[in-house]
Amino acid sequence: MVRQKTSAFQSSKPVTIKDLAEILHTTPSTVSRALRDKKGVGEKRRKQVKDLARKMNYQPNTVASGLRKGKSRTLGVIVPRVNRDFFSDVIAGIEEVAFDHKYSIIICQTHDQLDREKQYVETLLSARVDGILASLSLETNTYDHFRKILNARIPLIFFDRIPAEMDTSRIVIDDFEGAYRAVKHMIDNGYRRIIHFAGPDYLNVYRNRKEGYLAAMKSCNLPVEEDMIIHNNLTLEAGRKSMEEVLNKGMVPDALFSASDYAALGALLFMQEKKFDIPGQFGVAGFSNEKFTSYINPSLTTVDQHSREMGRYCTELFLKESIGEKPPPSKIMLSPELLIRKSTQRKSKQ
Amino acid sequence: MVRQKTSAFQSSKPVTIKDLAEILHTTPSTVSRALRDKKGVGEKRRKQVKDLARKMNYQPNTVASGLRKGKSRTLGVIVPRVNRDFFSDVIAGIEEVAFDHKYSIIICQTHDQLDREKQYVETLLSARVDGILASLSLETNTYDHFRKILNARIPLIFFDRIPAEMDTSRIVIDDFEGAYRAVKHMIDNGYRRIIHFAGPDYLNVYRNRKEGYLAAMKSCNLPVEEDMIIHNNLTLEAGRKSMEEVLNKGMVPDALFSASDYAALGALLFMQEKKFDIPGQFGVAGFSNEKFTSYINPSLTTVDQHSREMGRYCTELFLKESIGEKPPPSKIMLSPELLIRKSTQRKSKQ
DNA sequence: ATGAAAGCGCTAACAT
DNA sequence: ATGTTAGCGCTTTCAT
């Protein structure tokens, strides 16, 4: 006799296809085929199996099928921090496409530490994820851990912060172009002595933003003294402090282009405290289009990175690489969008 | 002879303990024991095994061991959206503690849709996660999918948005208290006709914030007309629109307490456009302490929810439940913190 | 200290 | 259309 269980109170050990098979006096293979709509099962049987599965609240064990098939339908995502607008937006995009294709995503935060990045790569490899999407930590200056991923023949897609040394698929925005356009726009608005907050040179994004800044200045024959480029860690506090130091040194810049919105904000707040009129006496532009940039006063000119789309593309690249023969690495560069807001718009252009 | 592979170029099929065993002329059991520091292996053997494992770049297959042990060392996290400051902060907290205890986390975004929530519960159950941490979607009004989790004897911890109907572990902040204190503070600053933007009543958080608002008003004998409570979806746009409607109806409130920072911002921007002086003529307070609230002008009074700590506690609750006999559900309530900023501080108190 | 054997739940190749 | 068999990689008895 079939043991009755109400679906609401089925308890303890999960139901397996073997259980279903026994109850229906058939075999696991048939049940498995029926459940997954594989051919080779009679219509009647199939319905019978599916009905029972539902009734007994059968949950397929993806761990087991993953082991058997050598596929986990899981994606690893490695980011510096999940609670930064840029990264959480990228993750949102990744999740959307992943969900549509029935992939789960495992999230890893490196906190910008190389150690954690390495450890997470190991974890993901051990979890036999089907692919890894990653953005480098600030500390990353060695890539052997990422090479392991390639050796394991697992698709690896970098986004935003990418290693120059590795020939993998990647997706970035054109940081040079974004910076160039931002600075050009500032120059058009009459700013001349524009300083720059930069991040570490070994990261592509900051290097390229700096290059874009330099190119724009050069194209207008504006001199860039060495001390006009300030390297800091791009936090709000760092921005504030760097700005203060600049003034203390007796420099008289009339604008700032920062590689990060947060550092731009720090400087902006500091200048406001010092009673500078922004954008009148001092112009400020940032990078990344963090949410707060459109809400502050004056609203902050910045560069949008299409973060959500970047996430979506990432997953799509992975999907492309995960089928059939490995295609050559795709290198995608998205166009940034300059968002001109109040912090750089002088009443009268000079 | 042992086949040589350089660690950098080990390729194709991953190494298994069986491979290691064969090379060392021993058995998988011994290798397994050696690798996991189980007793019953000679010191010499252990070293031999570990050295070879490192040399051959052995990655333990957690899918296989998970299947065998019935544990995946994975946690499922279900949130409405990953790119909201509150949730991404909670996730950051969850990840930190999880990482310390060698758990991975799978992230699920419901987009506030019940369908997706249900589907993700199935996915997580199939993935045999060891626990699930969840915050309800806006649409969730039925809980059978969550009951399945309990039936499967998997720890389930709710945070922030919790179902009243289920007796599970949960962690919330004292929304009533937060709202009460915020409104009390506004009254202390001379505001009298304070309106309230509320979310759906079936969600504990919004219900409690509304109750806190009502209690504070009542405690000061301030009347609350029916139309002073406006239900909307708490987005920036909704806030702006609701505020406009309020004015169009001829109401003359002198302050707003919003259950969400975004809706508060919408109203604030609208009022500024209408040339109201904030906080002079109109006071505004929000809820959640989104990052932008401290950067806008005037900075927005709001209630901090200790989101990061909430995430950390969540994981700790899970850890507690995952060992030994199931303890009775823990119900934790964190104290909110009222952040008094400029948007509610009148120059002269009345 | 080590090995042999069984099995976690599922799928796929090979029968029939 | 269905059943049989083997095995994914690992861990855990149970022997020896």
Side-chain angles (χ1 to χ4, degrees), chain A residues 102-134:
Chain A
K102 303 192 189 310
Y103 277 87
S104 295
I105 62 177
I106 294 182
I107 294 291
C108 311
Q109 266 196 123
T110 62
H111 294 262
D112 273 319
Q113 293 163 18
L114 178 57
D115 280 1
R116 285 178 82 115
E117 191 174 88
K118 286 182 180 173
Q119 202 171 331
Y120 263 130
V121 167
E122 298 291 327
T123 303
L124 293 177
L125 249 20
S126 281
R128 297 297 191 264
V129 294
D130 296 339
I132 294 180
L133 317 180

Side-chain angles (χ1 to χ4, degrees), chain A residues 43 86 118 135 164 171 185 232 236 239-240 243 253 285 330 344:
Chain A
E43 228 5 271
F86 171 69
K118 286 182 180 173
S135 198
I171 169 161
H185 150 78
N232 61 38
L236 191 153
R240 177 190 290 275
M243 198 65 229
S330 317
T344 54

Side-chain angles (χ1 to χ4, degrees), chain B residues 299-315:
Chain B
S299 53
L300 184 68
T301 291
T302 187
V303 179
D304 184 75
Q305 303 181 86
H306 303 301
S307 29
R308 185 94 153 245
E309 288 74 14
M310 192 178 279
R312 301 185 62 96
Y313 274 117
C314 263
T315 313

Side-chain angles (χ1 to χ4, degrees), chain A residues 20 38 42 48 172:
Chain A
L20 299 179
K38 295 270 169 186
Q48 199 183 29
V172 292

Side-chain angles (χ1 to χ4, degrees), chain B residues 144-246:
Chain B
D144 281 350
H145 52 304
F146 286 119
R147 284 188 243 279
K148 278 191 198 172
I149 300 173
L150 298 179
N151 288 339
R153 302 227 180 289
I154 292 172
L156 169 62
I157 322 279
F158 283 106
F159 61 91
D160 197 54
R161 297 190 193 166
I162 62 175
E165 291 82 346
M166 290 182 72
D167 185 43
T168 60
S169 285
R170 56 189 46 180
I171 171 160
V172 293
I173 61 142
D174 193 337
D175 289 284
F176 177 95
E177 179 70 16
Y180 185 91
R181 298 226 306 260
V183 175
K184 204 75 194 332
H185 151 78
M186 296 176 91
I187 296 172
D188 286 346
N189 269 260
Y191 299 106
R192 291 291 174 266
R193 297 178 306 282
I194 305 170
I195 62 173
H196 177 50
F197 285 174
D201 270 331
Y202 53 83
L203 276 185
N204 60 303
V205 293
Y206 300 119
R207 208 168 47 234
N208 293 339
R209 287 171 201 178
K210 187 166 77 177
E211 292 302 329
Y213 157 79
L214 287 171
M217 294 295 275
K218 189 168 183 190
S219 77
C220 298
N221 294 314
L222 293 173
V224 175
E225 316 294 337
E226 203 176 309
D227 58 3
M228 288 169 68
I229 296 180
I230 298 102
H231 286 261
N232 61 39
N233 69 7
L234 300 177
T235 58
L236 192 155
E237 269 317 309
R240 177 190 291 275
K241 208 169 147 207
S242 291
M243 198 66 230
E244 184 168 12
E245 286 167 4
V246 163

